[in-house]
Amino acid sequence: MNQPLHDRGVISRYKAYLPVTEATPVISLNEGSTPLIHSPKLSERTGAEVYLKFEGLNPTGSFKDRGMTVALSKAVERGASTVICASTGNTSAAAAAYAARASIRCAVILPAGKIAAGKLVQAFAYGAKVVAIRGNFDDALRIVREFGGVDGVAIVNSINPDRIEGQKTASFEIIEELGDAPDIHILPVGNAGNITAYWKGYREFQSAGRSTRRPRMVGFQAEGAAPIYLGHPVEPHTVATAIRIGNPASWEGANNAVKESGGCIDIVTDQQILDAQQWLASNEGIFVEPASAASVAGLLKCLSSGRCTTCPLPLRAGGKIVLTVTGHGLKDPEAPVKHGGFAPIEADADLTAVRRVLD
Ligand SMILES: *Cc1c(COP(=O)(O)O)cnc(C)c1O
Protein backbone atom coordinates (compact mmCIF):
# COMPACT_ATOMS: atom_id res chain seq x y z
CA MET A 1 0.00 0.00 0.00
CA ASN A 2 2.84 2.39 0.75
CA GLN A 3 5.14 2.19 -2.24
CA PRO A 4 7.00 5.37 -3.09
CA LEU A 5 5.23 7.41 -5.75
CA HIS A 6 7.79 6.52 -8.41
CA ASP A 7 6.97 2.83 -7.95
CA ARG A 8 3.21 2.51 -8.38
CA GLY A 9 2.92 0.15 -11.34
CA VAL A 10 0.47 -2.75 -11.20
CA ILE A 11 3.10 -5.35 -10.26
CA SER A 12 4.28 -3.24 -7.37
CA ARG A 13 0.69 -2.66 -6.18
CA TYR A 14 -0.67 -6.17 -6.65
CA LYS A 15 2.25 -8.59 -6.60
CA ALA A 16 0.46 -10.92 -4.15
CA TYR A 17 -2.15 -11.56 -6.86
CA LEU A 18 0.25 -11.83 -9.81
CA PRO A 19 2.53 -14.64 -11.04
CA VAL A 20 5.74 -12.86 -9.95
CA THR A 21 8.45 -13.68 -7.39
CA GLU A 22 11.50 -11.92 -5.99
CA ALA A 23 13.35 -13.28 -9.04
CA THR A 24 11.08 -11.48 -11.53
CA PRO A 25 12.62 -8.30 -12.96
CA VAL A 26 9.87 -5.67 -12.87
CA ILE A 27 9.52 -3.92 -16.24
CA SER A 28 7.15 -1.06 -15.50
CA LEU A 29 6.18 2.41 -16.67
CA ASN A 30 3.95 3.10 -13.63
CA GLU A 31 0.89 1.85 -15.51
CA GLY A 32 -2.48 1.46 -13.80
CA SER A 33 -3.95 3.64 -11.03
CA THR A 34 -6.11 5.21 -13.74
CA PRO A 35 -8.93 7.50 -12.63
CA LEU A 36 -12.45 6.24 -12.06
CA ILE A 37 -14.35 9.32 -13.16
CA HIS A 38 -17.93 9.91 -12.07
CA SER A 39 -20.21 10.74 -15.00
CA PRO A 40 -22.95 13.14 -13.83
CA LYS A 41 -24.75 13.13 -17.18
CA LEU A 42 -24.82 9.36 -17.63
CA SER A 43 -25.86 9.02 -13.99
CA GLU A 44 -28.74 11.39 -14.53
CA ARG A 45 -29.84 9.56 -17.65
CA THR A 46 -29.72 6.11 -16.01
CA GLY A 47 -30.77 6.92 -12.48
CA ALA A 48 -27.74 4.87 -11.43
CA GLU A 49 -24.27 5.98 -10.33
CA VAL A 50 -22.15 5.75 -13.47
CA TYR A 51 -18.35 5.80 -13.49
CA LEU A 52 -15.84 5.72 -16.33
CA LYS A 53 -12.56 3.87 -15.82
CA PHE A 54 -10.36 5.95 -18.12
CA GLU A 55 -7.72 3.51 -19.31
CA GLY A 56 -6.54 5.95 -21.97
CA LEU A 57 -4.44 7.53 -19.21
CA ASN A 58 -2.03 4.61 -19.09
CA PRO A 59 1.58 5.27 -20.26
CA THR A 60 0.97 4.30 -23.91
CA GLY A 61 -2.67 5.40 -23.93
CA SER A 62 -4.56 2.12 -23.47
CA PHE A 63 -5.23 -0.65 -20.93
CA LYS A 64 -2.79 -2.91 -22.81
CA ASP A 65 -0.03 -1.53 -20.55
CA ARG A 66 -1.44 -3.42 -17.54
CA GLY A 67 -0.98 -6.73 -19.30
CA MET A 68 2.28 -5.77 -20.94
CA THR A 69 4.13 -4.98 -17.70
CA VAL A 70 3.49 -8.56 -16.54
CA ALA A 71 4.08 -10.14 -19.97
CA LEU A 72 7.42 -8.35 -20.48
CA SER A 73 8.59 -8.95 -16.92
CA LYS A 74 7.89 -12.68 -17.26
CA ALA A 75 9.39 -12.84 -20.75
CA VAL A 76 12.64 -11.28 -19.49
CA GLU A 77 12.64 -13.59 -16.46
CA ARG A 78 12.42 -16.57 -18.83
CA GLY A 79 15.30 -15.24 -20.92
CA ALA A 80 13.47 -13.94 -23.99
CA SER A 81 15.45 -11.63 -26.27
CA THR A 82 12.51 -10.75 -28.54
CA VAL A 83 8.79 -10.26 -28.07
CA ILE A 84 6.32 -10.58 -30.91
CA CYS A 85 2.65 -9.74 -31.24
CA ALA A 86 -0.19 -9.36 -33.70
CA SER A 87 -2.06 -6.14 -33.14
CA THR A 88 -4.86 -3.86 -34.16
CA GLY A 89 -2.55 -1.11 -32.84
CA ASN A 90 -2.59 -0.75 -29.08
CA THR A 91 -0.96 -4.06 -28.25
CA SER A 92 1.93 -3.17 -30.53
CA ALA A 93 2.31 0.28 -28.96
CA ALA A 94 2.44 -1.24 -25.48
CA ALA A 95 4.71 -4.15 -26.46
CA ALA A 96 7.14 -1.79 -28.18
CA ALA A 97 7.30 0.58 -25.19
CA TYR A 98 7.83 -2.15 -22.59
CA ALA A 99 10.37 -3.92 -24.83
CA ALA A 100 12.28 -0.64 -25.10
CA ARG A 101 12.17 -0.35 -21.32
CA ALA A 102 13.48 -3.93 -21.02
CA SER A 103 16.14 -3.42 -23.71
CA ILE A 104 14.90 -6.35 -25.79
CA ARG A 105 13.64 -6.50 -29.37
CA CYS A 106 10.02 -6.19 -30.42
CA ALA A 107 8.38 -7.31 -33.67
CA VAL A 108 4.79 -6.42 -34.48
CA ILE A 109 2.58 -7.94 -37.16
CA LEU A 110 -0.23 -5.64 -38.27
CA PRO A 111 -3.02 -5.73 -40.84
CA ALA A 112 -1.81 -3.34 -43.59
CA GLY A 113 -3.72 -0.08 -43.84
CA LYS A 114 -5.92 -0.87 -40.84
CA ILE A 115 -3.97 0.77 -37.99
CA ALA A 116 -4.89 4.17 -36.55
CA ALA A 117 -2.15 6.76 -37.14
CA GLY A 118 -1.34 7.42 -33.49
CA LYS A 119 -0.79 3.73 -32.75
CA LEU A 120 1.42 3.10 -35.76
CA VAL A 121 3.69 6.03 -34.95
CA GLN A 122 4.05 4.72 -31.39
CA ALA A 123 5.34 1.34 -32.58
CA PHE A 124 7.98 3.07 -34.73
CA ALA A 125 8.93 5.63 -32.08
CA TYR A 126 9.47 2.95 -29.43
CA GLY A 127 11.73 1.14 -31.88
CA ALA A 128 9.74 -1.92 -32.93
CA LYS A 129 10.19 -3.80 -36.21
CA VAL A 130 6.85 -3.34 -37.94
CA VAL A 131 5.50 -5.81 -40.51
CA ALA A 132 2.24 -5.00 -42.28
CA ILE A 133 0.59 -8.09 -43.74
CA ARG A 134 -1.96 -8.16 -46.52
CA GLY A 135 -4.64 -9.67 -44.29
CA ASN A 136 -6.65 -8.91 -41.15
CA PHE A 137 -5.85 -9.16 -37.42
CA ASP A 138 -6.91 -12.79 -37.29
CA ASP A 139 -4.36 -13.63 -40.02
CA ALA A 140 -1.69 -11.71 -38.08
CA LEU A 141 -2.45 -13.66 -34.91
CA ARG A 142 -2.30 -16.97 -36.78
CA ILE A 143 1.21 -16.09 -38.00
CA VAL A 144 2.30 -15.04 -34.51
CA ARG A 145 1.00 -18.31 -33.03
CA GLU A 146 3.26 -20.14 -35.52
CA PHE A 147 6.23 -18.41 -33.84
CA GLY A 148 5.30 -20.23 -30.62
CA GLY A 149 8.15 -22.69 -30.66
CA VAL A 150 10.99 -20.34 -31.67
CA ASP A 151 13.78 -20.03 -29.04
CA GLY A 152 14.11 -16.72 -27.25
CA VAL A 153 10.86 -15.37 -28.70
CA ALA A 154 7.90 -14.62 -26.40
CA ILE A 155 4.39 -14.03 -27.75
CA VAL A 156 2.77 -11.11 -25.92
CA ASN A 157 -0.75 -11.26 -27.32
CA SER A 158 -3.53 -11.89 -24.83
CA ILE A 159 -3.25 -15.64 -25.59
CA ASN A 160 -0.28 -15.19 -23.22
CA PRO A 161 -1.86 -15.73 -19.75
CA ASP A 162 0.49 -13.15 -18.19
CA ARG A 163 -1.38 -10.46 -20.14
CA ILE A 164 -4.71 -11.49 -18.60
CA GLU A 165 -3.11 -11.51 -15.15
CA GLY A 166 -1.94 -7.92 -15.49
CA GLN A 167 -5.20 -6.69 -16.99
CA LYS A 168 -7.29 -8.10 -14.13
CA THR A 169 -5.79 -5.42 -11.85
CA ALA A 170 -8.26 -2.89 -13.25
CA SER A 171 -11.02 -4.74 -11.37
CA PHE A 172 -8.95 -4.55 -8.17
CA GLU A 173 -8.62 -0.79 -8.51
CA ILE A 174 -12.37 -0.36 -9.10
CA ILE A 175 -13.23 -2.42 -6.00
CA GLU A 176 -10.72 -0.48 -3.89
CA GLU A 177 -12.12 2.83 -5.09
CA LEU A 178 -15.84 2.00 -4.75
CA GLY A 179 -15.42 -0.08 -1.60
CA ASP A 180 -17.07 -3.02 -3.37
CA ALA A 181 -17.75 -4.33 -6.88
CA PRO A 182 -20.29 -2.40 -8.99
CA ASP A 183 -23.63 -3.90 -10.05
CA ILE A 184 -22.83 -3.81 -13.74
CA HIS A 185 -19.55 -3.58 -15.64
CA ILE A 186 -19.68 -2.60 -19.31
CA LEU A 187 -16.74 -2.79 -21.72
CA PRO A 188 -15.96 -3.13 -25.43
CA VAL A 189 -15.08 -6.62 -26.67
CA GLY A 190 -12.65 -7.44 -29.47
CA ASN A 191 -10.32 -10.37 -28.89
CA ALA A 192 -12.13 -10.77 -25.53
CA GLY A 193 -8.98 -10.84 -23.39
CA ASN A 194 -10.09 -7.86 -21.35
CA ILE A 195 -13.56 -9.09 -20.41
CA THR A 196 -11.90 -12.37 -19.42
CA ALA A 197 -9.36 -10.48 -17.31
CA TYR A 198 -11.88 -8.23 -15.55
CA TRP A 199 -14.04 -11.20 -14.64
CA LYS A 200 -10.99 -13.02 -13.25
CA GLY A 201 -10.11 -9.95 -11.18
CA TYR A 202 -13.62 -9.58 -9.79
CA ARG A 203 -13.76 -13.25 -8.83
CA GLU A 204 -10.33 -13.23 -7.20
CA PHE A 205 -10.96 -10.16 -5.06
CA GLN A 206 -14.26 -11.63 -3.90
CA SER A 207 -12.53 -14.92 -2.97
CA ALA A 208 -9.91 -12.91 -1.10
CA GLY A 209 -12.64 -11.18 0.91
CA ARG A 210 -11.93 -7.80 -0.66
CA SER A 211 -15.46 -7.47 -2.09
CA THR A 212 -18.85 -8.93 -1.22
CA ARG A 213 -20.21 -9.41 -4.73
CA ARG A 214 -19.49 -9.51 -8.45
CA PRO A 215 -20.92 -7.40 -11.24
CA ARG A 216 -22.87 -8.52 -14.27
CA MET A 217 -20.41 -8.38 -17.17
CA VAL A 218 -21.83 -6.72 -20.28
CA GLY A 219 -19.68 -6.63 -23.43
CA PHE A 220 -20.33 -4.66 -26.60
CA GLN A 221 -19.06 -5.63 -30.03
CA ALA A 222 -19.30 -3.54 -33.17
CA GLU A 223 -22.17 -4.67 -35.37
CA GLY A 224 -19.75 -5.44 -38.24
CA ALA A 225 -17.37 -7.37 -35.99
CA ALA A 226 -19.67 -9.32 -33.71
CA PRO A 227 -18.61 -12.99 -33.82
CA ILE A 228 -19.47 -13.70 -30.17
CA TYR A 229 -22.88 -12.06 -30.45
CA LEU A 230 -23.61 -13.98 -33.66
CA GLY A 231 -22.06 -17.24 -32.49
CA HIS A 232 -19.70 -17.69 -35.46
CA PRO A 233 -16.48 -16.12 -36.85
CA VAL A 234 -16.94 -13.24 -39.29
CA GLU A 235 -14.95 -11.08 -41.70
CA PRO A 236 -14.75 -7.98 -39.48
CA HIS A 237 -15.62 -4.43 -40.56
CA THR A 238 -15.87 -1.46 -38.23
CA VAL A 239 -14.51 2.05 -37.76
CA ALA A 240 -13.50 0.95 -34.24
CA THR A 241 -10.17 -0.60 -35.27
CA ALA A 242 -9.30 -1.90 -31.78
CA ILE A 243 -12.29 -4.26 -31.85
CA ARG A 244 -12.11 -5.16 -35.54
CA ILE A 245 -11.70 -8.87 -34.82
CA GLY A 246 -13.56 -11.73 -36.47
CA ASN A 247 -12.42 -14.74 -34.44
CA PRO A 248 -11.61 -13.79 -30.83
CA ALA A 249 -8.84 -15.72 -29.07
CA SER A 250 -10.59 -15.52 -25.68
CA TRP A 251 -14.06 -16.38 -26.96
CA GLU A 252 -14.57 -18.97 -24.23
CA GLY A 253 -13.42 -16.53 -21.53
CA ALA A 254 -16.02 -14.04 -22.69
CA ASN A 255 -18.75 -16.68 -22.73
CA ASN A 256 -17.85 -17.78 -19.20
CA ALA A 257 -17.80 -14.21 -17.88
CA VAL A 258 -21.22 -13.52 -19.33
CA LYS A 259 -22.76 -16.82 -18.25
CA GLU A 260 -21.34 -16.86 -14.71
CA SER A 261 -22.16 -13.21 -14.05
CA GLY A 262 -25.63 -13.10 -15.62
CA GLY A 263 -24.49 -10.55 -18.17
CA CYS A 264 -24.56 -10.49 -21.95
CA ILE A 265 -22.79 -9.65 -25.20
CA ASP A 266 -24.60 -7.12 -27.35
CA ILE A 267 -23.81 -4.95 -30.40
CA VAL A 268 -23.66 -1.29 -31.37
CA THR A 269 -23.41 0.23 -34.86
CA ASP A 270 -20.49 2.37 -36.07
CA GLN A 271 -22.86 5.34 -36.10
CA GLN A 272 -23.76 4.75 -32.45
CA ILE A 273 -20.06 4.36 -31.58
CA LEU A 274 -19.02 7.63 -33.24
CA ASP A 275 -22.01 9.50 -31.79
CA ALA A 276 -21.13 8.22 -28.31
CA GLN A 277 -17.48 9.20 -28.77
CA GLN A 278 -18.46 12.75 -29.62
CA TRP A 279 -21.12 12.86 -26.89
CA LEU A 280 -18.64 11.77 -24.22
CA ALA A 281 -16.00 14.28 -25.27
CA SER A 282 -18.34 17.24 -25.58
CA ASN A 283 -20.50 16.44 -22.52
CA GLU A 284 -18.09 14.95 -20.00
CA GLY A 285 -14.71 16.17 -21.27
CA ILE A 286 -13.42 12.65 -21.82
CA PHE A 287 -11.98 11.92 -25.26
CA VAL A 288 -11.65 8.22 -26.04
CA GLU A 289 -10.95 6.26 -29.20
CA PRO A 290 -13.88 4.78 -31.15
CA ALA A 291 -13.58 1.23 -29.75
CA SER A 292 -13.71 2.63 -26.22
CA ALA A 293 -16.88 4.54 -26.98
CA ALA A 294 -18.62 1.21 -27.68
CA SER A 295 -19.27 0.83 -23.95
CA VAL A 296 -20.92 4.27 -23.73
CA ALA A 297 -22.83 3.63 -26.96
CA GLY A 298 -24.02 0.37 -25.46
CA LEU A 299 -25.32 1.97 -22.29
CA LEU A 300 -27.10 4.68 -24.29
CA LYS A 301 -28.62 2.05 -26.57
CA CYS A 302 -29.92 0.05 -23.62
CA LEU A 303 -31.43 3.21 -22.17
CA SER A 304 -33.23 4.15 -25.33
CA SER A 305 -34.65 0.68 -25.92
CA GLY A 306 -35.18 -0.08 -22.24
CA ARG A 307 -32.98 -3.16 -22.45
CA CYS A 308 -30.14 -4.90 -24.29
CA THR A 309 -31.26 -7.00 -27.20
CA THR A 310 -29.79 -10.12 -25.60
CA CYS A 311 -30.33 -9.59 -21.88
CA PRO A 312 -32.40 -7.23 -19.77
CA LEU A 313 -29.76 -4.86 -18.43
CA PRO A 314 -31.07 -4.51 -14.89
CA LEU A 315 -30.60 -0.80 -14.34
CA ARG A 316 -31.79 0.20 -10.91
CA ALA A 317 -31.86 3.51 -9.10
CA GLY A 318 -28.82 3.91 -6.91
CA GLY A 319 -27.06 0.95 -8.54
CA LYS A 320 -23.46 1.34 -9.61
CA ILE A 321 -22.33 0.95 -13.20
CA VAL A 322 -18.70 1.08 -14.33
CA LEU A 323 -17.80 1.54 -17.99
CA THR A 324 -14.26 0.88 -19.11
CA VAL A 325 -13.15 3.38 -21.72
CA THR A 326 -10.17 1.49 -23.02
CA GLY A 327 -7.99 3.90 -25.04
CA HIS A 328 -7.25 7.59 -25.56
CA GLY A 329 -8.96 9.60 -28.29
CA LEU A 330 -5.66 10.94 -29.63
CA LYS A 331 -4.78 7.43 -30.80
CA ASP A 332 -7.08 7.81 -33.80
CA PRO A 333 -7.76 11.44 -34.71
CA GLU A 334 -9.04 10.62 -38.19
CA ALA A 335 -12.31 8.87 -37.32
CA PRO A 336 -13.92 11.64 -35.21
CA VAL A 337 -12.73 14.39 -37.56
CA LYS A 338 -14.37 12.64 -40.48
CA HIS A 339 -17.53 11.84 -38.51
CA GLY A 340 -17.93 15.30 -36.99
CA GLY A 341 -16.92 17.17 -40.14
CA PHE A 342 -14.66 19.21 -37.85
CA ALA A 343 -12.93 22.23 -39.39
CA PRO A 344 -11.97 25.57 -37.84
CA ILE A 345 -13.83 28.72 -38.90
CA GLU A 346 -11.40 30.96 -40.78
CA ALA A 347 -11.28 34.68 -40.03
CA ASP A 348 -9.15 37.71 -40.69
CA ALA A 349 -6.51 38.47 -38.06
CA ASP A 350 -8.35 41.17 -36.14
CA LEU A 351 -10.70 41.31 -33.14
CA THR A 352 -13.77 42.45 -35.07
CA ALA A 353 -13.51 39.59 -37.55
CA VAL A 354 -12.94 37.01 -34.80
CA ARG A 355 -15.85 38.33 -32.70
CA ARG A 356 -18.10 38.26 -35.72
CA VAL A 357 -17.54 34.54 -36.32
CA LEU A 358 -17.85 33.75 -32.59
CA ASP A 359 -21.22 35.51 -32.20
C1 LIG B 1 -7.46 -4.08 -27.27
C2 LIG B 1 -8.53 -3.06 -27.18
C3 LIG B 1 -9.88 -3.38 -27.05
C4 LIG B 1 -10.38 -4.78 -27.09
O1 LIG B 1 -9.96 -5.56 -26.00
P1 LIG B 1 -9.98 -7.15 -26.12
O2 LIG B 1 -9.24 -7.62 -24.92
O3 LIG B 1 -9.31 -7.48 -27.41
O4 LIG B 1 -11.41 -7.57 -26.12
C5 LIG B 1 -10.80 -2.38 -26.91
N1 LIG B 1 -10.41 -1.07 -26.91
C6 LIG B 1 -9.12 -0.73 -27.03
C7 LIG B 1 -8.77 0.71 -27.05
C8 LIG B 1 -8.14 -1.70 -27.16
O5 LIG B 1 -6.86 -1.33 -27.30
Side-chain angles (χ1 to χ4, degrees), residues 86-126:
S87 182
T88 61
N90 284 333
T91 295
S92 57
Y98 284 79
R101 188 83 182 171
S103 305
I104 67 174
R105 288 180 303 179
C106 176
V108 305
I109 317 292
L110 311 170
K114 297 281 162 62
I115 304 298
K119 305 178 188 184
L120 191 56
V121 82
Q122 282 181 294
F124 286 118
Y126 294 129

Side-chain angles (χ1 to χ4, degrees), residues 167-197:
Q167 285 172 209
K168 78 186 178 190
T169 59
S171 297
F172 297 169
E173 291 177 9
I174 291 165
I175 288 168
E176 288 186 340
E177 200 139 338
L178 296 179
D180 207 339
D183 297 273
I184 297 171
H185 190 114
I186 303 178
L187 75 174
V189 172
N191 219 16
N194 214 26
I195 191 171
T196 303

